[in-house]
Amino acid sequence: MTHASSPCVRRRRPRRAGESGFTLVEVMVAMVLLAVGIVGTMRTVSIATRASAQAQATLTAATLGQQILQELTQTTDIQVGSASGDFAPDNPRYRWESLVENSDEEVGLLVVTVTVYWPNVPNEAKLALTTMMPDPNAITTSTDTTTPTTGGAAGTSSSTTGGG
């Protein structure tokens, strides 16, 4: 029996022009392009993850600052001045400072600013929330007197607001 006529034995024939297949150079170029694409994708994912973490930290700071601002504006004994504190034990990385001052624009109004600080690489980040509110300590008095006169009654009302 001859080997050429045997169905089990195949002979390799030389490669002809136009046949498919990749050369070593083509495979190497494809690997370099794939590596560059993977590095670029990982960098993009890293930047997106960092931006997401910063957005979450800012949202937390805004929520915590809003709580302090709400506490300050709902109290009836708010005083001009400053205060500070932190949010431990729930959020120990965050701290706050408040400043209450009289408005330059209108008598009887207070400007309340709460600034929340938290660690952020490389510097500390901060978010300031500001609102205006009526000064509950401003003295408001109202008197209502009725003076009888002949031929009928006349009423007088007076209201005085004093700064405090």
Side-chain angles (χ1 to χ4, degrees):
M1 230 197 233
T2 63
H3 290 286
S5 63
S6 172
C8 295
V9 177
R10 293 187 182 180
R11 295 170 79 193
R12 284 196 119 170
R13 36 187 187 117
R15 194 176 197 188
R16 295 183 192 158
E19 288 187 16
S20 62
F22 297 103
T23 65
L24 180 60
V25 172
E26 291 171 330
V27 171
M28 297 285 286
V29 168
M31 295 297 281
V32 166
L33 290 174
L34 184 63
V36 167
I38 289 173
V39 167
T41 301
M42 293 307 292
R43 181 169 169 85
T44 302
V45 167
S46 173
I47 290 169
T49 302
R50 196 172 328 127
S52 176
Q54 287 176 345
Q56 180 63 41
T58 303
L59 178 63
T60 300
T63 302
L64 295 171
Q66 184 63 35
Q67 289 174 359
I68 297 297
L69 196 63
Q70 188 172 12
E71 287 175 19
L72 288 172
T73 57
Q74 289 181 352
T75 185
T76 57
D77 62 346
I78 190 168
Q79 299 294 321
V80 172
S82 62
S84 63
D86 60 27
F87 296 98
D90 295 333
N91 293 289
R93 296 179 43 208
Y94 294 83
R95 64 182 182 84
W96 61 271
E97 293 177 356
S98 69
L99 177 63
V100 178
E101 53 193 352
N102 290 311
S103 171
D104 292 335
E105 314 241 339
E106 180 120 7
V107 175
L109 283 181
L110 296 176
V111 178
V112 183
T113 302
V114 173
T115 306
V116 179
Y117 300 89
W118 67 98
N120 190 22
V121 177
N123 300 322
E124 186 174 60
K126 69 179 180 177
L127 175 74
L129 304 167
T130 301
T131 191
M132 296 181 84
M133 64 176 281
D135 186 353
N137 299 317
I139 301 170
T140 304
T141 58
S142 177
T143 56
D144 191 9
T145 57
T146 305
T147 310
T149 58
T150 47
T156 17
S157 174
S158 110
S159 175
T160 306
T161 305

